[in-house]
Structures are given as C-alpha cells and as structure tokens.
Amino acid sequence: MSVAEADNCPGVDLVVDPARAAEGAPAVAPKMALYLTDIPRAVAEYGQLVTMMPLRRALPAGDGHPVLVLPGLLAGDGSTWTLRRLLRRLGYQAHGWRLGLNVGPTAKAVGGMAARLDELHARYNAPVSLIGWSLGGIFARTLARRNPSAVRQVITLGSPFRMEDESQSRAARSFNLFAGLHAERPSLPLATENEPMPVPATAIYSRYDGMVAWQTCIDSQSERSENIAVLSSHIGYGHHPATVWAIADRLAQPLGTWTPFRPPAMLRPLFPRPVSGPRVSV
C-alpha cells in the first residue's frame, strides 16, 4: 500500500507494499470490515461523483462507437444505468445487456450476450467496446476471446478472472445458488487466462474491494493489457469518479491505437501505483 493510498484512506494501516502482496502473499477474500462497509462506501462514492459532475466537461469526448456494459452477479441493467448515461453524454452509443439479473452463465445469458454483441456490431458496423463489472467482466473477456473481430477493447471493473479458488470471493455462495441453471462451469483457475487477450484490455481494480480478492482482478502483462488501481468499493465501481475518468480515457483512444493510461497530474492521488500481473507469452 502506497503512502498516497494511506493518506486517502484514514484509519487504514500501512501494512504491506502491494507489489510484495501480489508476488508473495496469498490472495484471500476481503476482510469482514471491507465487506460490511462496501455498500456505505459505494453510497459515499456516488456522492463524490455528483459533487464532481461540473468537471465532466474535462472528460475526453467520445467518437460515437458502440459500448456494451455487462452487470455483475445478481445485478441487472439498473446497476449500470449511471455509467451508461455518462457515456452517452460523452458521445458513445452505450447499451445494457437486456438479459435481466445476472445469475451466472445460464444458457440465456451465454447465448443472449453473444447475440447482443452481434446485434450491436452489425447495427453500427463497428467493433464494440465491452465493459464488464465483476462477473460481467469475466463474461466480457470470454466474449472477446470468442469474437475478437467484433470487439474493440475490454474494460473490467473488479472482475476476478484470475481467481484460483472460491474462497477468494465473498460472492461464491450466491453464485453457487444458481449452479443448477448454469450452462457453462469452467474450472478454476480459468485456463483461458494463460493466454493474452486478442484485443486491448484494461483491468480496473481496488485494494479496498469488499467482495473479491483484489489480486484476482489483475491482468497478465502483454503488449496491449494494463491494470489501473483506484480507491473504490466493489459496489461503487460503476460510479466512482476515478473509474469513470479511466473508462472515458480508455474509450477515447482512436481505433487501432493503444497507449498506456496516464492520469492527469491533478488526479494522480486518485490512482495508486498499479501492480503488474505475471507475464504471459504470445
């Protein structure tokens, strides 16, 4: 944990450097204190977004390309409404998945997401940027691997795609309640994560995530992947000011280009130094 993180989070002890934690310490589910305060912190973060709305004009304008936002476990399009509204105001064609609550990889979800991606790709005649929140991010990465020509880039928000054991998430019990409905049940760790993404990928994570071990949300190192650290709760990813800025910045990259994220100097305290994941070969 950096000094900047400690300064922004009063009452949190400076215990260990994040790089050492990622390399040596086991990734475990968040402590109970983080889990129990996740929703209250998310509410406060929404207030921060409202307070900072006058600065919205400083966000880079969009080029009108389509964006598909996938919700997390037990959430639906209502949870991503704020983010999609902001993206539309920036000029993007932002859409929800229209599949109700996300209860896992059911046949309806797996087939519906693929059909939704194909629909948007054909409607706009352009590759679609995918934003996935938590479990939605795992879905987004899978969609991109299966349909790389239809995907412009993938942005994940607190998505534990590198999870090795269910004990690394406090949502495992909820996920397993619907296991009987799941059409797909990949074993952990996900074998696909041994290979780099076929499209640019940005993994946004927080060491103060109250739902999943933050180390499981970090992408492997490759030419077109990156990790961005924020100070968000898990429930607050979709409206945390730093997350919104990072998403807007990544979406604004011209098609076919890729440059690492660099926050503006005045916002650097909102972005702790990220941890690099293991390198994978192409």
Side-chain angles (χ1 to χ4, degrees):
M1 181 177 184
S2 68
V3 174
E5 288 177 272
D7 289 342
N8 281 277
C9 295
V12 177
D13 294 329
L14 185 62
V15 178
V16 65
D17 178 76
R20 292 183 180 179
E23 296 172 358
V28 296
K31 294 181 179 180
M32 185 60 69
L34 286 176
Y35 175 65
L36 293 178
T37 61
D38 202 87
I39 292 179
R41 286 185 288 123
V43 173
E45 289 157 1
Y46 189 85
Q48 293 172 5
L49 178 67
V50 172
T51 301
M52 297 180 69
M53 281 306 291
L55 299 177
R56 180 173 58 85
R57 295 180 180 178
L59 294 172
D63 60 2
H65 81 261
V67 179
L68 176 58
V69 187
L70 306 178
L73 180 65
L74 300 184
D77 286 334
S79 67
T80 66
W81 181 84
T82 297
L83 177 58
R84 287 185 287 116
R85 184 185 183 194
L86 285 169
L87 294 181
R88 290 193 193 106
R89 289 185 173 183
L90 290 176
Y92 297 100
Q93 302 295 332
H95 299 271
W97 79 335
R98 295 184 179 176
L99 294 171
L101 292 183
N102 183 351
V103 295
T106 63
K108 174 184 177 182
V110 174
M113 285 186 291
R116 187 75 165 131
L117 175 59
D118 289 343
E119 171 203 345
L120 296 176
H121 185 214
R123 184 196 305 182
Y124 297 101
N125 192 30
V128 182
S129 286
L130 301 179
I131 300 176
W133 192 340
S134 195
L135 178 58
I138 296 177
F139 288 166
R141 289 173 70 91
T142 300
L143 274 176
R145 292 183 188 280
R146 293 175 178 175
N147 308 276
S149 63
V151 177
R152 178 164 171 160
Q153 67 175 301
V154 173
I155 301 173
T156 56
L157 312 179
S159 299
F161 49 83
R162 294 185 62 83
M163 189 164 67
E164 298 181 348
D165 188 272
E166 290 185 348
S167 64
Q168 295 172 324
S169 170
R170 289 191 174 274
R173 181 175 299 179
S174 297
F175 180 84
N176 289 330
L177 285 176
F178 301 94
L181 302 175
H182 296 168
E184 297 181 355
R185 183 75 180 206
S187 58
L188 298 176
L190 298 176
T192 54
E193 293 304 329
N194 292 323
E195 301 177 359
M197 290 287 290
V199 300
T202 298
I204 298 177
Y205 74 95
S206 169
R207 294 193 69 217
Y208 305 103
D209 190 311
M211 193 63 65
V212 299
W214 61 270
Q215 296 95 329
T216 65
C217 306
I218 295 174
D219 203 357
S220 302
Q221 299 179 57
S222 67
E223 293 182 356
R224 296 187 299 172
S225 69
E226 65 182 340
N227 299 298
I228 299 177
V230 295
L231 302 171
S232 174
S233 63
H234 189 85
I235 304 299
Y237 278 119
H239 57 253
H240 191 281
T243 303
V244 170
W245 181 278
I247 290 173
D249 180 271
R250 299 292 78 195
L251 291 179
Q253 296 181 99
L255 180 63
T257 65
W258 175 256
T259 56
F261 176 70
R262 294 288 183 271
M266 64 179 295
L267 295 181
R268 281 177 188 166
L270 299 179
F271 296 96
R273 183 173 63 85
V275 172
S276 297
R279 181 171 293 279
V280 294
S281 57
V282 179

